[in-house]
Amino acid sequence: MLSQTELDDEKGRMLRNLSHLVEISVTLNSTLDPEKLLQFIICSAAEVLDCEAASILLYDETRGQLYFATASGDSRQLARIPVPLDGSIAGTIFQENRPLVINEVAADPRHYQQVGEQVSFQARSLLGVPMCIKSRVTGVLEALNKRQGDFNDEDVHILSVIASQAAVAIHNAQLLHALQKANEELRKLDKLKSDFISIASHELRTPLGVILGYATFLKDEAQGELSEHAEMVLNSALKMRTLVEDMTNLNTMQMGTTQLALQPSAIQKVLKQAFQDIQETARAKELAFSVNMPDKPILVNADPAKLEQVFANLMNNAVRFTPQGGKVNLSVLLEKNEVRVLIRDSGIGIPRQDLEKIFEEFYQVENHLRRHMGGMGLGLSIARGLLKLHNGRIWAESPGEGKGSTFTVVLPVMIQSSPPSSET
Ligand code: ADP
């Protein structure tokens, strides 16, 4: 029977342990640096159990063995020592998934002498508990050399509580670390891609200029078949120039260096200009291209060349993705402070799941290698980027594959000053 004072002491001790465990839990949940986390776990374990040292061994799945993730003192030496699952104390705890108390370590045949020798630390007593996530054992937490008395059931209980929280915290920190690493890799890849696009588009521009120059000259000067051949070279070179321009535009937009020459521009004029670029192809495909737009000019504050590029791209897509004999319609609607431009086609349509994705760089509904339509999947992402710079927006709608598509562009209209009153 315990006396009242002993009972009070016992209660006080339990309360201290409990508040210590709560503190540990809070810190574990808020530390995401793996190194700091491991250090904190072993320091807390050694302190709560009043031990000389503690260590964490984690399971290396590729090698099928345990390794020291950290230990009191200098653990760098330990990091190189593999701990086999068979025949070692930690391995037994890991494989049997249960705590182990050894109050005379030296007498235990599983004691791994090499470890103590490496760090000049002699283990006398040991308590080890498995660290688990759900039912999967991920490592072992060990406390060594209890300063007073032997390890008891309460110690086992306390270390198990720390181990179960530590396992989750370590797992989270590892996941975050992996995520950060993957992010860093992605960032590097993205930079590589940007650099490549920048160099490639720059280096292609000069030879392309020469090809365009000579092909134009030959087309005009040569006669008959030769002139036709020169025209084919010229058309291909023009297509290539569009691709190079797309790549350059994408890069400047990503770097935030796109320059806009803003000026009051009539949307009708921009659209007519864009239509010029594609009318030949539309005619060749025998498409019925209808236009509905108000005569009164609708002014937008825009860079007309950039806006023309956006609409030429949308019309070009409508023509490309609509089979021979289909329909394309261009409508302009003035709504309050905005103008809406709708480009509708009766073409191949867009699956619902791709309606947003097509605005991502290099995204094409059809696999690039299997497609016959050409292009690099850049036009729409550039269009969205350019429209954003004009405070505009763009989206796509389609009732489904084979049922046509509608692209809607919305731009703010310029407040037009009302004409001077005729009243005197
Ligand atoms: P691309 O030059 O490859 O056509 P875009 O960015 O202009 O690149 O378009 C991306 C993809 O969106 C196209 O490859 C195509 O799959 C789809 N798409 C764009 N416009 C249409 C349209 N009018 N009808 C059907 N699909 C379209």
Side-chain angles (χ1 to χ4, degrees):
M1 192 76 169
L2 293 173
S3 69
Q4 190 56 44
T5 337
E6 283 170 328
L7 269 177
D8 286 347
D9 279 356
E10 182 68 9
K11 267 194 213 154
R13 201 179 46 76
M14 284 173 81
L15 220 62
R16 270 197 306 281
N17 279 344
L18 209 62
S19 72
H20 222 122
L21 285 179
V22 172
E23 263 174 50
I24 292 171
S25 162
V26 170
T27 313
L28 281 181
N29 282 317
S30 57
T31 311
L32 284 168
D33 177 331
E35 277 306 310
K36 280 192 192 147
L37 191 68
L38 292 169
Q39 273 301 318
F40 174 78
I41 296 165
I42 56 166
C43 290
S44 309
E47 193 186 329
V48 182
L49 297 187
D50 194 20
C51 291
E52 285 175 14
S55 54
I56 293 174
L57 294 99
L58 293 178
Y59 181 57
D60 178 343
E61 275 181 29
T62 36
R63 297 203 169 92
Q65 62 196 19
L66 292 162
Y67 68 96
F68 279 93
T70 193
S72 306
D74 185 0
S75 57
R76 273 170 301 180
Q77 297 275 9
L78 285 177
R80 289 189 217 112
I81 308 172
V83 179
L85 290 188
D86 294 323
S88 70
I89 295 174
T92 309
I93 298 166
F94 182 89
Q95 296 199 95
E96 294 180 6
N97 188 11
R98 63 181 178 88
L100 203 63
V101 175
I102 302 172
N103 280 316
E104 232 179 295
V105 174
D108 195 298
R110 294 166 298 190
H111 177 45
Y112 209 44
Q113 197 68 33
Q114 201 191 351
V115 176
E117 282 163 10
Q118 284 283 342
V119 287
S120 322
F121 177 87
Q122 276 320 309
R124 293 191 310 277
S125 60
L126 179 150
L127 160 60
V129 295
M131 300 201 318
C132 302
I133 293 178
K134 293 188 182 149
S135 54
R136 186 167 61 91
V137 190
T138 56
V140 173
L141 175 60
E142 289 181 345
L144 299 134
N145 297 0
K146 191 171 164 75
R147 288 201 173 88
Q148 282 178 357
D150 288 343
F151 284 112
N152 55 35
D153 286 350
E154 197 184 335
D155 295 331
V156 172
H157 184 67
I158 290 174
L159 198 63
S160 297
V161 171
I162 297 178
S164 64
Q165 299 201 41
V168 177
I170 291 172
H171 183 63
N172 287 346
Q174 282 171 337
L175 282 183
L176 187 81
H177 188 67
L179 205 68
Q180 281 167 338
K181 234 172 103 182
N183 231 346
E184 180 61 17
E185 287 295 314
L186 273 181
R187 216 185 46 75
K188 277 193 205 150
L189 274 178
D190 198 53
K191 172 148 185 345
L192 214 64
K193 182 199 77 184
S194 291
D195 289 351
F196 170 74
I197 291 177
S198 177
I199 294 168
S201 54
H202 185 262
E203 292 301 318
L204 282 173
R205 212 167 296 147
T206 317
L208 207 53
V210 177
I211 296 173
L212 280 168
Y214 278 106
T216 313
F217 174 76
L218 258 178
K219 182 182 150 261
D220 294 345
E221 297 296 314
Q223 303 286 320
E225 209 175 88
L226 197 57
S227 171
E228 276 171 32
H229 290 169
E231 188 171 354
M232 279 157 75
V233 174
L234 183 64
N235 287 341
S236 299
L238 283 169
K239 269 192 198 153
M240 238 170 118
R241 190 174 66 181
T242 313
L243 295 180
V244 171
E245 274 167 9
D246 275 357
M247 292 202 289
T248 313
N249 278 327
L250 177 79
N251 243 20
T252 52
M253 221 152 54
Q254 282 183 337
M255 290 189 291
T257 52
T258 305
Q259 305 237 336
L260 294 185
L262 294 176
Q263 53 184 277
S265 317
I267 195 91
Q268 290 94 330
K269 196 172 164 203
V270 174
L271 288 167
K272 277 180 195 149
Q273 207 66 38
F275 178 65
Q276 302 263 310
D277 298 352
I278 55 104
Q279 62 177 345
E280 198 49 53
T281 331
R283 205 172 297 142
K285 278 184 96 175
E286 293 169 355
L287 300 180
F289 203 112
S290 57
V291 180
N292 314 89
M293 54 185 169
D295 292 332
K296 191 170 171 233
I298 299 169
L299 292 186
V300 290
N301 187 25
D303 180 329
K306 296 272 191 298
L307 221 49
E308 184 191 322
Q309 189 190 338
V310 170
F311 289 120
N313 203 295
L314 295 174
M315 290 182 205
N316 186 28
N317 279 353
V319 169
R320 273 195 305 147
F321 295 106
T322 302
Q324 192 90 5
K327 287 187 211 149
V328 177
N329 171 264
L330 170 68
S331 299
V332 179
L333 308 164
L334 183 60
E335 286 179 356
K336 290 191 191 148
N337 318 325
E338 294 181 331
V339 58
R340 269 170 194 253
V341 180
L342 283 87
I343 296 156
R344 290 194 197 97
D345 65 60
S346 63
I348 61 168
I350 301 163
R352 176 190 280 271
Q353 70 273 15
D354 289 317
L355 285 172
E356 256 311 296
K357 286 196 194 137
I358 53 173
F359 291 95
E360 291 170 12
E361 296 153 22
F362 299 108
Y363 189 86
Q364 299 179 315
V365 173
E366 203 184 321
N367 181 315
H368 188 90
L369 298 175
R370 283 193 296 123
R371 55 187 278 130
H372 320 288
M373 308 288 187
M376 286 197 296
L378 288 182
L380 290 178
S381 73
I382 293 172
R384 182 168 266 181
L386 286 176
L387 286 167
K388 209 167 157 202
L389 292 175
H390 284 88
N391 296 320
R393 46 194 203 280
I394 179 173
W395 67 89
E397 287 160 293
S398 171
E401 282 177 81
K403 296 183 180 157
S405 322
T406 302
F407 284 79
T408 307
V409 171
V410 180
L411 281 164
V413 290
M414 290 184 80
I415 313 288
Q416 299 181 30
S417 52
S418 43
S421 163
S422 55
E423 283 172 17
T424 46

